[in-house]
């Protein structure tokens, strides 16, 4: 399922900011996610396929995503190149009020590979919109991660459980869930 000679496949990297790499972010899963995102990013760059970096900017001064703090900066391994597109958002969905849909359509991009954090929040919201907007969307299970949390009934759920449920919510409805290896085969 590799891209044809003229098909462009965008890699969308969500919220790989410094505050997501701190202990304060919480108990997480997929410790190999960053390495897998780096592999995908290197391959996309080598293939000269489009890369989009999504950055969350909070509206709340108490948030680690509040502009002007070190936590809002991209992690050094995911620092965008000058040729790569940056989307700033202040809600979980990278398509809401960001111009991302228009940017993709203007470049004839209909196939999206989505990675980053957190699976149960910004990744899930963005993937749902991408699918609803008609993009051919793939979420990379081992290049995304999330955090443990209590469910609505108050039951503690591990990060692996939260991650698995988010992927189940997306697969077949809004996107296809793939591995890093499967996503690398797109190019």
């Amino acid at each position: 399922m590799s891209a044809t000679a003229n098909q462009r496949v965008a890699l969308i990297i969500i919220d790989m900011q410094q505050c997501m790499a701190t202990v304060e972010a919480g108990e997480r899963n997929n410790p190999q996610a960053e390495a897998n995102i780096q592999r995908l990013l290197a391959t996309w760059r080598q293939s000269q396929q489009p890369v989009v970096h999504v950055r969350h900017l909070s509206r709340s001064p108490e948030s680690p995503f509040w502009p002007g703090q070190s936590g809002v900066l991209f992690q050094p391994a995911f620092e965008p190149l000058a040729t790569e597109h940056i989307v700033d958002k202040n809600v979980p969905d990278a398509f809401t009020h960001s111009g991302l849909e228009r940017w993709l359509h203007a470049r004839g991009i209909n196939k999206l590979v989505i990675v980053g954090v957190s699976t149960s929040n910004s990744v899930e919201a963005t993937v749902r919109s991408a699918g609803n907007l008609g993009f051919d969307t793939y979420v990379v299970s081992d290049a995304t991660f999330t955090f443990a949390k209590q469910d609505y009934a108050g039951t503690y759920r591990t990060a692996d459980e939260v991650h698995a449920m988010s992927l189940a919510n997306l697969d077949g409805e809004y996107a296809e869930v793939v591995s890093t290896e499967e996503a690398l085969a797109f190019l």
Side-chain angles (χ1 to χ4, degrees), residues 10-14 52-54 94-95 100 104 112-116 126:
L11 176 65
I12 299 179
I13 304 173
I14 298 178
V52 177
H53 298 266
V54 177
F95 285 95
L100 177 57
L104 293 165
L112 311 178
V113 173
I114 299 178
V115 301
T126 300

Side-chain angles (χ1 to χ4, degrees), residues 56-76:
H56 189 79
L57 302 174
S58 180
R59 296 177 183 165
S60 172
E62 301 82 37
S63 171
F65 290 106
W66 180 253
Q69 299 180 90
S70 61
V72 80
L73 301 174
F74 289 109
Q75 294 177 30

Side-chain angles (χ1 to χ4, degrees), residues 2 6 8 13 95-96 126 143 151 174:
S2 63
N6 60 358
R8 300 183 78 204
I13 304 173
F95 285 95
T96 300
T126 300
D151 68 18
Y174 304 96

Side-chain angles (χ1 to χ4, degrees), residues 3-171:
T4 61
N6 60 358
Q7 184 181 21
R8 300 183 78 204
V9 181
L11 176 65
I12 299 179
I13 304 173
I14 298 178
D15 297 350
M16 291 305 293
Q17 294 163 259
Q18 291 184 18
C19 63
M20 300 309 276
T22 65
V23 172
E24 292 78 25
E27 177 191 326
R28 61 167 279 192
N29 71 320
N30 276 356
Q32 78 287 357
E34 287 87 348
N36 288 332
I37 297 169
Q38 287 175 334
R39 286 182 59 212
L40 290 162
L41 180 57
T43 301
W44 251 253
R45 286 174 171 169
Q46 182 180 11
S47 299
Q48 298 182 338
Q49 290 288 330
V51 175
V52 177
H53 298 266
V54 177
R55 172 175 50 201
H56 189 79
L57 302 174
S58 180
R59 296 177 183 165
S60 172
E62 301 82 37
S63 171
F65 290 106
W66 180 253
Q69 299 180 90
S70 61
V72 80
L73 301 174
F74 289 109
Q75 294 177 30
F78 306 107
E79 189 67 39
L81 300 178
T83 57
E84 295 170 346
H85 188 58
I86 298 173
V87 171
D88 288 331
K89 65 179 180 62
N90 52 30
V91 296
D93 180 1
F95 285 95
T96 300
H97 305 300
S98 70
L100 177 57
E101 179 185 11
R102 182 177 53 251
W103 187 90
L104 293 165
H105 284 309
R107 286 151 185 81
I109 301 166
N110 191 51
K111 189 170 185 175
L112 311 178
V113 173
I114 299 178
V115 301
V117 63
S118 80
T119 318
S120 59
N121 193 343
S122 295
V123 170
E124 187 168 343
T126 300
V127 170
R128 284 174 181 261
S129 285
N132 285 336
L133 292 169
F135 289 97
D136 188 10
T137 308
Y138 300 84
V139 61
V140 185
S141 62
D142 57 353
T144 52
F145 64 96
T146 196
F147 302 95
K149 65 189 302 182
Q150 285 189 349
D151 68 18
Y152 190 70
T155 303
Y156 172 83
R157 302 295 178 182
T158 67
D160 282 333
E161 291 172 322
V162 175
H163 183 73
M165 184 54 72
S166 290
L167 294 177
N169 291 339
L170 298 172
D171 193 38

